[in-house]
Amino acid sequence: MSLLRAPHAIGFDDAPFSRTHRGDVAVFGAVYAGPTLHAVVRGRVRRDGRNSTDELTRLAALAGEHLGVVLLQGIALAGFNVVDLARLHAQTGRPVLVVARRAPRLERVRTALLEHVPGGARKWRLIEQAGEMEPCGGVYVQRAGLSLAGAQAALAALTVTGRIPEPLRAAHLIAGGVTRGHSAGQRV
């Protein structure tokens, strides 16, 4: 797989939800072939649950055999439903790249997980196992199955507007538009 030549990618983001929401939260995936949107997939993960890795694996399989990289906007969906990056990489057979505008405040995340979230210690271990976020291409990344140079190449090939790769931008806009009825005013 060459990430330098029009990579096929899927970017995932969760739908907005209220702080008081319990239960499932919609997750959207935007499937790209190079700069072109090819498909959208939708699934559900439990708020603060532990099914995100399996659900993303299922949704990535819908993207087809040409999928080159799986992109996430943060390591957790639906609050603290933390993705096991190594397992997602193993289950999909594809590199996984987590992208964030800024490095997270890990001590605040750790405190929230350990003091307020059921299964927080296990989720914190997943975050630790994923490793520190690294600066790369104007954003911060965590990665599984991909070198830092490969991450840089993927970002360069998939980023058209701003600093966030198009599959993640599209997934974010779709999630907000479907949930709220519009995506106007959303920061991507």
Side-chain angles (χ1 to χ4, degrees):
M1 168 195 67
S2 170
L3 291 176
L4 297 174
R5 196 174 36 83
H8 287 60
I10 187 167
F12 289 108
D13 201 8
D14 55 358
F17 57 94
S18 73
R19 294 180 72 107
T20 59
H21 175 78
R22 296 293 173 249
D24 288 343
V25 174
V27 173
F28 293 87
V31 181
Y32 270 72
T36 306
L37 177 65
H38 275 246
V40 175
V41 296
R42 179 178 188 254
R44 300 189 81 67
V45 296
R46 179 69 58 182
R47 164 81 191 263
D48 294 336
R50 46 187 301 177
N51 66 329
S52 59
T53 305
D54 290 334
E55 183 66 353
L56 295 183
T57 298
R58 183 185 75 78
L59 294 172
L62 299 174
E65 63 189 47
H66 299 294
L67 182 61
V69 63
V70 176
L71 300 165
L72 306 174
Q73 195 153 337
I75 195 169
L77 298 167
F80 282 116
N81 195 324
V82 178
V83 178
D84 182 335
L85 298 187
R87 191 161 61 90
L88 183 60
H89 167 57
Q91 288 179 177
T92 62
R94 304 295 188 265
V96 177
L97 183 61
V98 177
V99 179
R101 290 184 177 282
R102 60 186 87 52
R105 297 183 208 154
L106 288 178
E107 193 51 43
R108 291 180 72 184
V109 172
R110 182 181 179 277
T111 299
L113 280 170
L114 297 180
E115 294 180 9
H116 303 291
V117 178
R122 177 191 165 278
K123 294 173 184 190
W124 177 247
R125 281 192 301 277
L126 291 175
I127 292 171
E128 287 182 312
Q129 289 167 5
E132 298 268 336
M133 293 202 92
E134 307 167 279
C136 181
V139 293
Y140 287 84
V141 300
Q142 284 172 304
R143 53 201 166 77
L146 189 64
S147 68
L148 191 57
Q152 178 75 39
L155 290 172
L158 292 166
T159 304
V160 176
T161 302
R163 295 180 292 161
I164 302 299
E166 286 305 302
L168 290 176
R169 281 178 32 81
H172 183 75
L173 292 170
I174 291 164
V178 168
T179 304
R180 292 189 183 117
H182 66 86
S183 59
Q186 284 187 232
R187 180 172 181 181
V188 180

